[in-house]
Amino acid sequence: MSELPERKVFFSIIHEKSPQIQKKEVPCKKTDADYAFIYKVLVSASKDGISSAVITNQMQEQWKVTTEQLHRYALKNTPDLFPARLTRLSEAIHMDTEIQDIMFNPWILTNENFSGGAAAMYYSDHKILRDLSDQEDCNLYVIPADQDEVLLLKEGNVSVTDADNFAQYIFKAVGQTELGNQALYYDRQENHLFPIQNGIVMSREIKEKAVRKSSVQKR
């Protein structure tokens, strides 16, 4: 491609410790929950999946485009190219009521192509998470099962420990993904995703204390 197809640029999310980020191979923009945006060009899309190319530093230099420009194009295009899809687990697999109670009947957030749907968490500055948490009047636990979908649980239905244990069970079943192996906590007041580590929500305050403690130990 000799010119950047602006309307086909979209974003994916990966963990900030992923090899692509650590090796500085691609333009990226870090966000909350220890994730980073990377950018791709859509080649084709169908019900069977999508074909795309990751934008590398070399491609970025060739097109003479900044990371901020890529980010702006991607924020605008991604929700249009891949409309979000939010359903209850019970609807997806036709659960009966008894099993719903046991499983807490989480929501599944993906997109209409069922490919790269975890990125929908970041559509319009967490709008889907924000709207759902307002509708349910609670914060949410987010379990990134893989790149294609995330599970959403109401905070009032499960404890942070249970959410973390459930997440670890899923990660063990599906294996390591580019999103890491931690559950997340969506705080609707802050409109922010925080990672959960060992059953603890790593809020800004906790992270700041950890940084201060580390600084003191290094002196």
Side-chain angles (χ1 to χ4, degrees), residues 35-79:
Y35 289 154
F37 294 102
I38 62 171
Y39 308 98
K40 300 180 180 182
V41 173
L42 178 65
V43 177
S44 64
S46 71
K47 63 180 181 180
D48 298 319
I50 67 171
S51 175
S52 64
V54 176
I55 297 177
T56 63
N57 293 335
Q58 184 178 0
M59 295 164 70
Q60 182 184 24
E61 183 177 346
Q62 175 187 336
W63 288 327
K64 295 180 172 59
V65 60
T66 67
T67 301
E68 283 300 325
Q69 286 174 311
L70 289 174
H71 190 66
R72 187 167 64 250
Y73 299 149
L75 287 183
K76 180 178 183 299
N77 296 337
T78 310

Side-chain angles (χ1 to χ4, degrees), residues 81-94:
L81 292 172
F82 309 108
R85 179 186 179 94
L86 182 67
T87 57
R88 299 302 291 263
L89 181 60
S90 58
E91 298 171 11
I93 62 175
H94 307 293

Side-chain angles (χ1 to χ4, degrees), residues 158-176:
V158 294
S159 69
V160 63
T161 301
D162 288 339
D164 194 21
N165 289 340
F166 183 40
Q168 298 311 313
Y169 172 81
I170 290 177
F171 298 142
K172 185 176 180 180
V174 303
Q176 183 73 22

Side-chain angles (χ1 to χ4, degrees), residues 3-25:
E3 295 184 1
L4 173 68
E6 296 178 8
R7 295 183 180 180
K8 292 189 175 182
V9 174
F10 67 98
F11 68 78
S12 290
I13 53 171
I14 61 176
H15 198 275
E16 64 181 12
K17 292 184 179 179
S18 296
Q20 286 178 307
I21 303 297
Q22 294 297 302
K23 294 179 181 179
K24 300 182 179 179
E25 298 173 337

